[in-house]
Amino acid sequence: MLSSQLPALQVVIPLVAAPICVFFRNPRIAWLIALIASSLTFMVSIGLFLQVQQLGVISYEMGNWSPPWGIEYRVDNVNAYILLIVSSIGALVTAYAYPSLKREIDTNRHYLFWTSYLLCLTGLLGVTITGDAFNIFVFLEISSLSTYVLIALGKSRLALYAAFRYLILGTIGATFIVIGIGLLYLMTGTLNLYDLASRLGDMDLAQPQLAALAFLTVGISLKLALFPLHLWLPNAYAFAPSVATSFLAATATKVAVYLLLRFAYDVFGKSQIFSELPLGEVLLVLSIVAMFVASTVAIYQDDVKRMFAYSSVAQIGYITLGASFASQTALTASIVHLFNHAITKGAIFLLLGIVAFQIGQPTFTKIKGLGKKMPWTSFGMVLCGLSLIGVPGTAGFISKWYLILAVLERGWWWLAAMILASSLLAILYIWRFVETAYFVTDAEDNTIELGSKIPFSMATVTVLFVLACLFFGFHTEFSVDSASEAARVLLEYTRQ
Amino acid sequence: MSETSIFFSVLIPVIGALLIGASRKLPNIRETITLITAIFLFLFNAQYLPDILDGERPEFALMTIIPNVELLFSIEPLGLLFALVASSLWIINSIYSIGYMRANKEKNQTRFYVCFAIALSSTMGIAYAGNLITLFLFYEILTLCTYPLVTHHGTHEARHGGRIYLGILMSTSILFFLLAIGWTWLFTGTLEFTPNGIFNHEQLQTSIPLILMALYVFGVGKAAIMPFHRWLPAAMVAPTPVSALLHAVAVVKAGVFSIVKILVYVFGIANLETISGGSWLMYLAGFTIIAASVVALKSDNLKTRLAYSTISQLSYVILAVALFVPIAVMGAALHIVAHAFSKITLFFAAGAIYTASKKTKVSELNGIGKRMPITMIAFTIGALSLIGIPPAIGFLSKWYILSGAFDAQETFVVAVIIISTLLNAAYFLPIIYAAFFRTDDNSKNHGEAPTAIIIAMASTGILSIALFFFSDQIISLGYQIAPAY
Amino acid sequence: MDLFDNINYWIAMFQIVMGLFIVIASENLIKTLVGLGIFQSAVYIIYISPAKIFGGTAPIFVSNQEVYANPLPHVLILTAIVVGVATIALGLALVVRIYEAYGTLEEDKIQDIDLGANNDA
């Protein structure tokens, strides 16, 4: 009984929990509600994942209106995997958050944070699970609006300006998406994604469909911070509260990538846009530029959070690079990197959250001698940094391996060399951190004063994330198998 | 003996490292643990010797990393030889480290011993790697865990040296090595080390194996083949025990070992003979030998001179394998052993000189033989062994490489060996001459280095000679690597 | 006349371009939001225009009517308007906070004050 309602519960639980936080207003109770809600959501997503593994695609009719008239929630191997990633990170970050938030946000504003956080989670999960195009827009805006609030809650006034800039660009992106959806509706008369895909497959790609695709691609690219539409990201990540950064960096852009995959492979799948249109080539070029430019810019940042934000832009380049190929290995690489990067970046920002908890906004001048004062945290940063570089034995290596195989499969050895060369840039910025943290020992520079002990909850969750970075470098049954299954499903959509 | 136990070779030093870390407050216990771990590791490796000589090739897959690619360990003669050399020298080196680190009052000694143990663990992983991914994994771990050793002093120079060290090793391995592995996987569908190689006849007809060979040779930056040799002299900023074990034995030998292993077990010596154009490797190695020897001749810093001598000696191994004849492959294996024992003796002596007199320059060594007779005798043994004078182990390896060169009728190789022997003599003999026969400068009589250093140095010196007389097992192991066909 | 047949879409296009131009060109944060509002309202027109059928009536089943307007786009746009209102409201709230923190609403001044060297994005 309950198990058949899982798709609805996935979204409804955090959605209902969000206003409850407002009722209570007490920071601790609000946090508890968020923790319970996000844990339940996580369990629901596990349930959904298992159901999809056993039964295949789940179709859920919202309010018993049968599709294509009513809103359908449709869970297949692709979004079951994404749901699992988003909700697990949502739950774990919540468990981590309380002490960090206490340090960074006024306690009388905590309930607002949690309301926005849960709404953001609702939005991200909704975008992922829904099978209705307009519903995507609505959930996207729910998540975006709450994201702006989360960022604006950051300590420094720069957070306000970063949130404002993101609001402008994010709204433009969302509006582009809604224009694209509108054009598709005009031409096909349906909003159901499944229905859209089959109707689009029956018609030629005329002008309006092309325009729709263009609007959608640009809109989604803004949301996933594809170079050069990434301008909102670095400041937003740098100045948001640590908890919000960890959550957003690990999930928000990943959901946007999912949208790209969904539209490019499923909705437009039968139109063969990869062979007919230069979409793949455009993505490819932008991804390569992102890998190099963003990594290079990252090297010159003074703020550690900003540096890793730029690194995110570069890493998103790897994900979109895999998505631009329309081959099994490349898509697997893309999706598995989506997962691996989520845990790696999540871990890094959680660690930086601990650093911020102890010394405030981490800049390169402040973290001198960090290796001595916070040995475990620094060591964790090094491990996660290695995963970003793609050193074997870490999660990052697995995705890089598949990416290289995918590129070599095409015979593009020069591109493989470029991918590897760009990971050398990652060495540069990671090593800048290592050298600053470990080798600056001058007494007068060593200004770090530790506030207090690292709270248990923060430490546990962070350790869990860091270990995951290593674990998924060795045990890839879950990550790679699910990713390659998702890739297979996506490619099947393009064939029917 | 169960096959799971192969993995213990990797695990033992890690356990050692944990115990060392746990006993950081108690230096005596910490160093006892290091020694016990080292001895235990050596004995553990040695127990495989009879089985391997009998032709057994135990294998153990720990887990599957990527579908069809496992974390695979297997023991074959070359790997066992390398593991034995590294682990036996770790024992002696630990004794030396204790003397050196205490006498020079180094900081962060626990970090030093922990990283050292982990470096040995990854060396074992490299030695027993059963496929390319496993090899690559431990290769990278070795780079990373030796980085804190290289930059041990934390000074500006150390940081600079560390940058070059890490920069070159990481870039070559990621740019070329990883690319080559990926390509091999797509090309052949396997990454496992197999006797006689993994390429079939048609694949050998294409030009891809040749490209892959270049990628592998340059990708393994640890072998210090020119032009990727700069990291080795840069890494000499490390404390001497690090230079000794890691940059005369573990790290650089891991490099040449990897190349030999890849050439023998991925390409296959018999196949390599048939590939046309494979001889560039021989010329490159020959060039590296001569060029590095010339640089060594010109450098006044003792450790730099030894570093360049290492670069040149490493290429002996590559040169030998590049002849693609079985007897030379045996010579290459033997040279890995010979150079390890001889060069570590030289580094020990350099460290002893520094500890006792704080001297680092060749030009300052006039008459030092009178003040430090044991040290300089050990130095002499090491130098003579590297020049290739019997009765030292270095003579044997050169002998086999030369016979390989005659076998393959490569006059180029013969010429390179003769010239480089002269160069070796030219950069070692003046030091010995100055030490014993030049008149003393005005240094005060500082005497010998601490006892631990002397013991370690004497044992490697004696072993360099003893192995000449007891080389049967090494040679029979060596013959099993590439059986004559 | 082709031009007048599609006049709604022309207007929408013009609004999109104008809105985006204002967003990009204006230094003042409030004006930026105004541009955003204009840009968003273009979407409403794009959606509503095809749904309006001349001579059609509200979709209530009456026996003497055969032509109905499509209600769905209207409903969608109601949602979109709500979203738009929320966005602008949040944007204005942020503007208020920014003004409190910086004492100005001019983008270049804000950047001068804080971002300075930091603004290499």
Side-chain angles (χ1 to χ4, degrees):
Chain A
M1 171 55 211
L2 191 68
S3 66
S4 65
Q5 301 295 330
L6 285 184
L9 287 175
Q10 180 82 88
V11 179
V12 168
I13 293 173
L15 183 63
V16 173
I20 299 180
C21 290
V22 184
F23 287 132
F24 284 101
R25 298 213 167 196
N26 178 309
R28 194 160 270 276
I29 292 177
W31 172 69
L32 263 179
I33 292 168
L35 184 63
I36 293 166
S38 55
S39 313
L40 284 176
T41 321
F42 179 31
M43 283 182 237
V44 169
S45 73
I46 296 176
L48 275 176
F49 186 79
L50 295 176
Q51 273 186 17
V52 172
Q53 298 284 309
Q54 282 165 7
L55 313 168
V57 179
I58 303 171
S59 168
Y60 179 87
E61 296 162 9
M62 233 350 159
N64 264 336
W65 293 85
S66 64
W69 298 283
I71 290 172
E72 181 196 17
Y73 278 12
R74 202 178 168 80
V75 190
D76 59 13
N77 287 71
V78 189
N79 52 5
Y81 189 49
I82 310 282
L83 286 173
L84 194 61
I85 297 173
V86 172
S87 62
S88 62
I89 288 171
L92 285 169
V93 171
T94 312
Y96 163 98
Y98 188 72
S100 173
L101 270 193
K102 214 169 156 189
R103 186 73 42 116
E104 291 182 23
I105 301 179
D106 281 349
T107 29
N108 55 16
R109 284 204 184 140
H110 275 200
Y111 73 97
L112 291 173
F113 179 89
W114 288 118
T115 310
S116 316
Y117 184 89
L118 285 171
L119 283 176
C120 185
L121 185 63
T122 311
L124 294 174
L125 293 171
V127 169
T128 314
I129 201 170
T130 189
D132 182 277
F134 200 79
N135 217 220
I136 288 181
F137 164 70
V138 174
F139 277 122
L140 196 67
E141 281 300 60
I142 291 179
S143 78
S144 303
L145 286 169
S146 43
T147 306
Y148 310 144
V149 177
L150 287 178
I151 294 168
L153 282 170
K155 225 177 184 177
S156 107
R157 59 180 175 179
L158 279 165
L160 294 171
Y161 185 56
F164 185 83
R165 290 236 327 222
Y166 185 21
L167 181 134
I168 299 293
L169 287 171
T171 308
I172 292 175
T175 312
F176 269 43
I177 292 174
V178 84
I179 293 174
I181 291 170
L183 289 172
L184 285 184
Y185 178 66
L186 279 185
M187 301 312 291
T188 58
T190 182
L191 284 171
N192 183 290
L193 293 181
Y194 186 68
D195 210 24
L196 259 177
S198 66
R199 292 195 195 186
L200 277 173
D202 292 338
M203 51 177 80
D204 290 331
L205 280 182
Q207 216 76 290
Q209 284 95 323
L210 287 176
L213 179 63
F215 273 115
L216 282 168
T217 313
V218 174
I220 295 171
S221 301
L222 250 169
K223 281 284 166 194
L224 64 77
L226 178 67
F227 188 90
L229 303 174
H230 66 284
L231 295 176
W232 57 269
L233 186 141
N235 281 334
Y237 280 15
F239 301 117
S242 307
V243 178
T245 310
S246 315
F247 176 65
L248 294 174
T251 55
T253 47
K254 309 298 177 290
V255 168
V257 171
Y258 159 77
L259 268 189
L260 181 71
L261 293 175
R262 177 63 75 193
F263 274 101
Y265 287 91
D266 183 0
V267 174
F268 281 94
K270 291 171 202 78
S271 314
Q272 304 305 329
I273 49 171
F274 281 96
S275 47
E276 302 282 317
L277 298 173
L279 178 66
E281 284 82 343
V282 171
L283 276 181
L284 178 74
V285 171
L286 291 180
S287 309
I288 296 172
V289 178
M291 278 153 39
F292 280 94
V293 175
S295 299
T296 315
V297 175
I299 298 170
Y300 295 102
Q301 294 306 310
D302 283 327
D303 186 306
V304 182
K305 272 174 97 179
R306 237 170 106 92
M307 179 181 92
F308 282 110
Y310 272 107
S311 142
S312 276
V313 177
Q315 299 285 327
I316 287 163
Y318 293 114
I319 299 176
T320 45
L321 181 70
S324 72
F325 265 32
S327 82
Q328 171 73 29
T329 325
L331 266 178
T332 308
S334 174
I335 299 171
V336 86
H337 194 52
L338 192 151
F339 173 78
N340 288 337
H341 181 242
I343 52 172
T344 310
K345 254 315 144 44
I348 284 180
F349 281 117
L350 290 178
L351 285 162
L352 285 177
I354 294 181
V355 176
F357 181 80
Q358 298 282 36
I359 65 169
Q361 183 85 357
T363 58
F364 271 102
T365 35
K366 273 200 205 157
I367 61 159
K368 284 176 182 171
L370 194 72
K372 271 243 159 58
K373 295 283 174 139
M374 303 175 72
W376 292 104
T377 313
S378 314
F379 186 60
M381 287 292 291
V382 174
L383 286 180
C384 297
L386 295 178
S387 178
L388 273 188
I389 298 169
V391 170
T394 60
F397 172 70
I398 302 296
S399 18
K400 204 148 284 175
W401 172 255
Y402 276 96
L403 202 56
I404 289 165
L405 287 192
V407 172
L408 286 176
E409 253 176 19
R410 289 232 164 157
W412 290 356
W413 58 268
W414 53 270
L415 185 52
M418 284 177 89
I419 292 170
L420 294 169
S422 75
S423 49
L424 298 183
L425 289 174
I427 300 185
L428 287 182
Y429 61 75
I430 298 296
W431 235 258
R432 187 166 166 224
F433 176 87
V434 171
E435 288 196 351
T436 322
Y438 284 96
F439 289 110
V440 181
T441 44
D442 314 330
E444 71 253 54
D445 274 334
N446 207 342
T447 51
I448 297 180
E449 275 171 35
L450 298 189
S452 49
K453 276 193 72 177
I454 301 166
F456 177 74
S457 60
M458 290 173 84
T460 321
V461 174
T462 314
V463 167
L464 209 65
F465 265 84
V466 175
L467 288 182
C469 289
L470 299 180
F471 179 83
F472 288 110
F474 287 106
H475 288 268
T476 54
E477 284 111 61
F478 168 72
S479 55
V480 172
D481 290 1
S482 318
S484 77
E485 195 56 27
R488 190 187 58 73
V489 168
L490 280 175
L491 284 175
E492 226 161 62
Y493 288 134
T494 64
R495 285 199 202 101
Q496 280 162 16
Chain B
M1 179 177 17
S2 82
E3 303 194 327
T4 358
S5 65
I6 304 178
F7 182 59
F8 288 144
S9 302
V10 180
L11 214 55
I12 289 168
V14 174
I15 297 169
L18 291 177
L19 291 175
I20 293 166
S23 58
R24 61 183 172 279
K25 298 267 160 60
L26 310 158
N28 291 328
I29 294 181
R30 176 184 69 198
E31 280 144 35
T32 318
I33 291 171
T34 307
L35 263 179
I36 292 173
T37 316
I39 293 170
F40 192 58
L41 181 67
F42 173 70
L43 293 177
F44 193 83
N45 286 324
Q47 58 152 347
Y48 288 108
L49 190 59
D51 288 357
I52 302 298
L53 282 173
D54 284 348
E56 275 182 45
R57 299 288 181 268
E59 243 187 29
F60 170 62
L62 184 65
M63 57 176 107
T64 306
I65 304 181
I66 322 168
N68 299 322
V69 181
E70 291 156 322
L71 196 59
L72 184 72
F73 298 96
S74 71
I75 305 189
E76 41 73 50
L78 184 64
L80 181 65
L81 192 65
F82 177 47
L84 281 174
V85 170
S87 56
S88 65
L89 287 176
W90 188 28
I91 306 175
I92 303 173
N93 193 277
S94 302
I95 302 172
Y96 183 84
S97 307
I98 296 167
Y100 183 91
M101 299 300 276
R102 289 191 175 183
N104 287 304
K105 301 190 180 60
E106 298 277 355
K107 280 187 242 159
N108 299 323
Q109 292 198 20
T110 306
R111 187 178 76 192
F112 172 86
Y113 287 110
V114 168
C115 289
F116 225 120
I118 294 173
L120 254 293
S121 161
S122 32
T123 310
M124 293 303 118
I126 292 173
Y128 293 151
N131 59 27
L132 281 164
I133 284 283
T134 316
L135 180 72
F136 185 62
L137 169 70
F138 286 105
Y139 181 93
E140 294 290 48
I141 296 178
L142 184 59
T143 311
L144 291 168
C145 71
T146 48
Y147 174 79
L149 293 174
V150 171
T151 55
H152 185 84
H153 291 138
T155 57
H156 184 73
E157 296 81 56
R159 223 157 100 188
H160 185 70
R163 270 186 203 167
I164 298 177
Y165 180 76
L166 197 86
I168 292 183
L169 290 187
M170 284 291 253
S171 348
T172 49
S173 68
I174 288 181
L175 262 183
F176 305 129
F177 199 0
L178 184 56
L179 185 64
I181 295 174
W183 206 334
T184 311
W185 169 249
L186 277 179
F187 190 57
T188 64
T190 177
L191 292 175
E192 233 169 276
F193 292 124
T194 344
N196 298 323
I198 56 177
F199 297 106
N200 62 31
H201 191 65
E202 289 90 69
Q203 287 165 340
L204 283 169
Q205 302 305 310
T206 62
S207 60
I208 292 178
L210 206 61
I211 300 170
L212 284 178
M213 188 165 122
L215 284 175
Y216 279 122
V217 167
F218 289 120
V220 183
K222 288 197 171 91
I225 293 181
M226 285 184 179
F228 298 114
H229 66 286
R230 281 281 305 128
W231 63 270
L232 218 169
M236 287 301 149
V237 295
T240 308
V242 177
S243 315
L245 184 70
L246 300 178
H247 301 121
V249 187
V251 173
V252 292
K253 288 299 149 54
V256 283
F257 166 79
S258 304
I259 292 187
V260 176
K261 184 143 184 173
I262 288 168
L263 288 179
V264 174
Y265 290 96
V266 172
F267 291 89
I269 288 297
N271 294 334
L272 282 172
E273 222 179 3
T274 61
I275 296 183
S276 56
S279 53
W280 64 270
L281 183 57
M282 189 178 73
Y283 294 110
L284 182 69
F287 171 76
T288 307
I289 292 175
I290 305 291
S293 300
V294 172
V295 178
L297 193 60
K298 281 161 63 181
S299 51
D300 191 33
N301 185 308
L302 184 57
K303 272 174 88 178
T304 315
R305 186 173 286 198
L306 292 180
Y308 274 99
S309 155
T310 303
I311 296 173
S312 119
Q313 296 286 335
L314 289 174
S315 280
Y316 264 86
V317 179
I318 308 296
L319 183 77
V321 182
L323 287 165
F324 307 138
V325 291
I327 191 162
V329 173
M330 203 279 287
L334 199 56
H335 197 68
I336 290 182
V337 183
H339 176 249
F341 281 91
S342 320
K343 189 48 75 52
I344 205 168
T345 314
L346 292 174
F347 270 114
F348 281 171
I353 294 170
Y354 173 75
T355 312
S357 68
K358 302 288 168 205
K359 283 176 180 164
T360 54
K361 292 219 166 78
V362 174
S363 50
E364 299 169 337
L365 298 182
N366 288 347
I368 202 161
K370 298 195 182 76
R371 273 164 279 148
M372 309 179 70
I374 307 179
T375 308
M376 288 322 290
I377 289 172
F379 188 92
T380 312
I381 296 173
L384 293 183
S385 172
L386 282 184
I387 297 169
I389 294 170
I393 176 88
F395 165 74
L396 275 185
S397 54
K398 261 193 189 166
W399 174 260
Y400 281 107
I401 297 174
L402 261 180
S403 357
F406 283 118
D407 247 22
Q409 293 175 338
E410 289 289 355
T411 38
F412 171 76
V413 175
V414 178
V416 165
I417 293 177
I418 291 170
I419 296 171
S420 86
T421 305
L422 292 176
L423 284 168
N424 285 346
Y427 62 74
F428 278 135
L429 292 182
I431 302 177
I432 299 167
Y433 176 80
F436 285 113
F437 302 112
R438 283 259 169 83
T439 43
D440 211 336
D441 52 9
N442 301 327
S443 315
K444 64 176 167 59
N445 190 0
H446 38 71
E448 288 281 0
T451 327
I453 293 183
I454 299 292
I455 295 174
M457 197 164 47
S459 23
T460 51
I462 292 166
L463 278 171
S464 305
I465 294 179
L467 284 174
F468 176 80
F469 297 103
F470 302 100
S471 56
D472 315 355
Q473 299 224 312
I474 303 176
I475 289 174
S476 45
L477 263 185
Y479 270 125
Q480 286 196 15
I481 297 168
Y485 36 84
Chain C
M1 277 284 284
D2 253 10
L3 187 67
F4 283 103
D5 281 353
N6 292 333
I7 184 80
N8 302 11
Y9 297 103
W10 286 110
I11 291 173
M13 276 334 275
F14 178 68
Q15 261 187 300
I16 288 180
V17 175
M18 184 168 69
L20 276 180
F21 176 79
I22 296 173
V23 170
I24 295 165
S26 45
E27 291 284 332
N28 186 299
L29 298 185
I30 302 257
K31 286 183 186 164
T32 312
L33 280 179
V34 171
L36 201 66
I38 295 173
F39 172 58
Q40 279 188 310
S41 53
V43 179
Y44 312 154
I45 296 178
I46 293 179
Y47 269 75
I48 298 292
S49 302
K52 171 67 189 169
I53 293 167
F54 286 102
T57 179
I60 303 163
F61 188 71
V62 194
S63 53
N64 58 355
Q65 275 290 349
E66 283 178 359
V67 186
Y68 299 109
N70 186 350
L72 186 63
H74 295 85
V75 178
L76 297 180
I77 278 325
L78 265 179
T79 319
I81 289 172
V82 173
V83 170
V85 168
T87 312
I88 299 291
L90 179 61
L92 287 172
L94 281 174
V95 166
V96 171
R97 292 282 309 278
I98 290 175
Y99 188 74
E100 282 170 7
Y102 289 90
T104 177
L105 286 179
E106 300 298 314
E107 248 181 318
D108 48 351
K109 284 186 187 148
I110 293 172
Q111 290 184 353
D112 282 348
I113 292 172
D114 252 347
L115 297 173
N118 216 354
N119 192 40
D120 46 2

